Amino acid sequence: MRNIFIIFKRELKSYFNNPLAYVLIIIFSLLSMGLTFVIGDFLKMNDASLTSFFFFHPWIYMIFGPAIGMRLWSEEHRMGTTELLLTMPISAWQAIVGKFLAACVVLAAALLSTISIVFTVYYLGKPDGQMIVSGYIGSFLVGASSIAITCAISAFTRNQISCLLVAVAVCFVLVLAGFPRVTEFLRPNFPALADIGNSVSFWWHQSEMARGIIRLQSPVYLLSLIGFSLYLTGVIIRGKRS
Amino acid sequence: MIDIANLTKHFGPKVAVDNLSLSVQKGQVLGFLGPNGAGKSTAMRMITGYLPPTSGSIVIGGIDMLEDPNAAKALIGYLPESAPLYQDMTVEGFLSFAAELRGLDGQRRRDAVGNALATCFLEGVRRQSIDTLSKGYRHRTCLAQAIIHDPEVLILDEPTDGLDPNQKDVVRNLIRHMGKTKAIIFSTHILEEVEACCTRAVIIDRGKVVADGTPDHLKRHAARAGSVTVRFQNAPGGLRQDLEKLKYGARLEAVETAGSTLSAVVYPKTKADASNLSAEIYELARSRNLALSELHEEPGRLDEMFRELTSQNKV
């Protein structure tokens, strides 16, 4: 635990020493709220809920997750500090988890920056508090999953930009797989494929949770996706050394 | 402290380190020599637990690196070849981070950071961000990280690379000083450095040890080692023939005569005869009352030895 915390602390400081984290948080905040009001017709919906707000989150995470996560290992590889880190008396998985948690704090900060929309919706009507909480939890898990996937991809390369592009592509597929247009198109001919699309998709799990439907499968799926991605990161880092 | 047996590393079909066995005790400074690409860095990366070996064993202070890597790594301080650092940290912040990872807390950590800063002459830049530092300072910051926990084993990959002559001298003195109480392996291709601070030198070529011994011992194996350079001021006519007939001498080379001066390099029959040969020459001069203005026994040169051992079969 101690080692994880040391790595976490350093990584977090490094995030907030860099303008990138602030820029990303501000963009996230503006984009998620702007889209809600402009495209999501938040006010015209006459509905005191944040469904239209959470609707856009998977799309934003498609870029936001990779943008936060791309430096996690690429930067270490580029600077050569992987060699330093992995010859310290710590395990690779401790470094991986510590770094991932630091990126999750940036994500949490970005989500926290949207808190004003919660006040707005409470001011306008009587929203369902449970729905908002489960929406935020779902959103956080989806964001964390996209970071974890990016983390694994960043372990491959020393180039942050290629990591970003590949990670965005992977997240794009994961969002789109459960998007209604796609599943509706698939359902008549390949119903099984549509179901698989739903069950792996960020979009589907996020929208389920944003509707206040807390079923075990969404958190379990997203958490295991995170676990698997971090495990994969470890495998890649070990593989690169031998 | 460091025991390596049959260490081998393959990268695909390429053999980077081939059956390397070494052991280094406390109080020994081992200079690791070899041409570029000989496998020095790969070997060091395996010893420090960064690269897993294809086969062989690494034991540090009695602890097997492959069985208990964290306990073994805790005994080692490592300076990687390129002296990597977190660019966005300050020197002090970075060293504090390294000390924390080494398990030092509170006052012990502050003391360790202070000591490392002082030892590596970094006090003037302690609050400076690493990306603003010049190469010499960066190198020393990384060195400071390696010694912060006062490790029993130090592995330094080209510790003087890219330093100016003064800084090189500082680092060499540091290595010599620390070598009294630690087991140190450092790689270099500067041969004077090996003579200046090593108690033992190992030359490797294409992954294999080709020579192992004290620097003096290695020098003696160089082709010219043991040859005796002589110069007579008032050389009589038959002196050259006399020199050729010396009991311990094998042959003459570089014979030059200028007026009555004769100079030559006499090679002994075997390297062990070198001292006898100089004594014999001295005796010859004394008995014939010749003025001997130079009599010098070549101790051998490490660079010559290095070239002889590593330049064979090169493409």
Side-chain angles (χ1 to χ4, degrees):
Chain A
M1 267 323 274
R2 187 177 174 278
N3 290 336
I4 295 177
F5 183 66
I6 299 167
I7 301 286
F8 166 78
K9 244 182 7 188
R10 196 212 76 78
E11 198 67 33
L12 194 63
K13 259 190 221 158
S14 164
Y15 266 118
F16 287 102
N17 269 339
N18 194 316
L20 185 70
Y22 299 99
V23 171
L24 285 174
I25 290 172
I26 292 168
I27 290 178
F28 180 84
S29 178
L30 291 179
L31 213 57
S32 62
M33 299 212 268
L35 289 174
T36 310
F37 283 99
V38 179
I39 304 178
D41 286 336
F42 179 61
L43 297 174
K44 280 190 215 149
M45 296 242 296
N46 245 342
D47 178 16
S49 84
L50 291 181
T51 322
S52 58
F53 167 68
F54 290 123
F55 176 84
F56 294 103
H57 280 198
W59 298 103
I60 301 174
Y61 286 139
M62 194 177 87
I63 315 258
F64 182 74
I68 293 181
M70 65 181 181
R71 60 188 290 284
L72 283 175
W73 287 98
S74 302
E75 185 74 357
E76 299 268 347
H77 290 331
R78 192 182 62 78
M79 296 192 299
T81 42
T82 325
E83 193 170 348
L84 209 59
L85 201 58
L86 298 178
T87 50
M88 289 285 178
I90 63 165
S91 310
W93 70 267
Q94 292 172 326
I96 294 167
V97 172
K99 281 169 156 288
F100 170 71
L101 290 179
C104 285
V105 170
V106 180
L107 168 67
L111 276 177
L112 203 66
S113 75
T114 63
I115 198 82
S116 57
I117 201 155
V118 178
F119 294 130
T120 313
V121 79
Y122 266 99
Y123 174 76
L124 292 175
K126 280 203 168 56
D128 180 348
Q130 197 194 324
M131 255 170 86
I132 293 178
V133 171
S134 85
Y136 266 107
I137 293 173
S139 173
F140 180 79
L141 288 177
V142 168
S145 306
S146 62
I147 290 171
I149 288 169
T150 312
C151 181
I153 294 166
S154 78
F156 268 117
T157 171
R158 51 166 57 211
N159 185 337
Q160 291 195 24
I161 300 300
S162 35
C163 169
L164 179 77
L165 294 177
V166 175
V168 168
V170 172
C171 291
F172 180 66
V173 171
L174 281 177
V175 173
L176 214 61
F179 199 62
R181 293 259 170 84
V182 176
T183 48
E184 278 158 23
F185 172 74
L186 287 173
R187 186 148 323 266
N189 298 317
F190 313 98
L193 221 53
D195 287 340
I196 292 172
N198 268 341
S199 53
V200 300
S201 170
F202 286 163
W203 198 87
W204 190 76
H205 288 288
Q206 161 98 63
S207 56
E208 289 289 284
M209 290 182 78
R211 283 193 287 145
I213 305 168
I214 302 201
R215 269 181 303 202
L216 212 51
Q217 52 171 327
S218 294
V220 166
Y221 167 68
L222 293 171
L223 286 172
S224 27
L225 186 61
I226 292 169
F228 175 73
S229 300
L230 296 184
Y231 172 76
L232 195 64
T233 311
V235 172
I236 295 164
I237 288 172
R238 198 167 331 125
K240 269 189 95 100
R241 286 191 279 158
S242 50
Chain B
M1 280 311 290
I2 310 172
D3 292 288
I4 303 156
N6 310 103
L7 198 61
T8 301
K9 180 75 186 174
H10 296 260
F11 289 114
K14 192 176 167 280
V15 183
V17 174
D18 192 359
N19 220 4
L20 184 76
S21 297
L22 271 180
S23 98
V24 184
Q25 309 308 322
K26 241 182 203 175
Q28 274 194 331
V29 180
L30 183 138
F32 219 28
L33 293 168
N36 288 328
K40 298 187 298 276
S41 290
T42 308
M44 293 177 126
R45 284 176 173 162
M46 285 192 281
I47 297 169
T48 52
Y50 179 62
L51 290 178
T54 308
S55 64
S57 74
I58 303 155
V59 178
I60 308 290
I63 301 166
D64 192 310
M65 176 62 80
L66 301 173
E67 276 168 21
D68 192 356
N70 287 353
K73 284 175 190 171
L75 301 174
I76 305 178
Y78 177 40
L79 170 68
E81 189 178 9
S82 54
L85 297 162
Y86 290 106
Q87 307 284 346
D88 54 351
M89 298 177 97
T90 63
V91 172
E92 201 170 18
F94 172 72
L95 292 180
S96 183
F97 167 69
E100 234 181 325
L101 280 178
R102 294 294 188 178
L104 301 168
D105 274 317
Q107 191 56 43
R108 279 173 65 217
R109 185 167 92 215
R110 282 188 288 278
D111 290 346
V113 171
N115 281 338
L117 285 170
T119 313
C120 298
F121 304 97
L122 290 164
E123 279 145 325
V125 296
R126 65 194 299 166
R127 289 188 217 296
Q128 221 164 303
S129 171
I130 288 171
D131 54 11
T132 64
L133 295 179
S134 68
K135 190 168 179 190
Y137 277 112
R138 284 182 201 205
H139 222 86
R140 276 185 282 159
T141 306
C142 203
L143 181 63
Q145 160 279 131
I147 60 170
I148 198 148
H149 53 307
D150 195 22
E152 294 177 70
V153 172
L154 266 179
I155 311 286
L156 309 170
D157 202 348
E158 301 194 1
T160 56
D161 182 42
L163 301 183
D164 70 33
N166 296 336
Q167 294 167 332
K168 275 191 175 129
D169 204 47
V170 167
V171 171
R172 279 177 208 166
N173 284 331
L174 205 63
I175 292 173
R176 226 182 349 236
H177 175 72
M178 291 188 299
K180 288 174 191 151
T181 53
K182 300 181 195 303
I184 301 182
I185 297 184
F186 82 93
S187 74
T188 179
H189 30 233
I190 304 169
L191 296 153
E192 310 90 77
E193 211 151 72
V194 175
E195 298 192 68
C197 33
C198 291
T199 56
R200 187 172 149 205
V202 166
I203 301 179
I204 70 170
D205 187 30
R206 277 164 294 162
K208 282 198 169 88
V209 173
V210 290
D212 181 353
T214 63
D216 284 338
H217 175 82
L218 292 187
K219 283 194 292 192
R220 253 177 271 136
H221 280 82
R224 282 181 50 215
S227 65
V228 179
T229 310
V230 288
R231 186 155 70 231
F232 295 95
Q233 289 303 60
N234 53 349
L239 185 63
R240 182 178 175 154
Q241 285 71 28
D242 291 335
L243 285 174
E244 276 166 350
K245 274 183 267 167
L246 286 168
K247 188 172 140 213
Y248 291 106
R251 61 184 201 280
L252 283 188
E253 254 178 38
V255 184
E256 276 173 37
T257 43
S260 64
T261 311
L262 180 143
S263 62
V265 178
V266 192
Y267 281 83
K269 287 205 170 104
T270 67
K271 289 198 198 303
D273 289 336
S275 310
N276 290 333
L277 179 64
S278 3
E280 195 184 4
I281 293 169
Y282 178 73
E283 193 49 42
L284 173 82
R286 204 181 58 89
S287 62
R288 298 247 213 115
N289 221 354
L290 302 173
L292 192 56
S293 64
E294 189 184 344
L295 179 65
H296 168 69
E297 193 185 316
E298 174 65 48
R301 289 166 52 126
L302 216 47
D303 57 348
E304 201 186 326
M305 170 77 187
F306 183 81
R307 264 199 308 276
E308 282 165 23
L309 284 171
T310 59
S311 57
Q312 304 149 359
N313 313 323
K314 275 274 138 87
V315 256

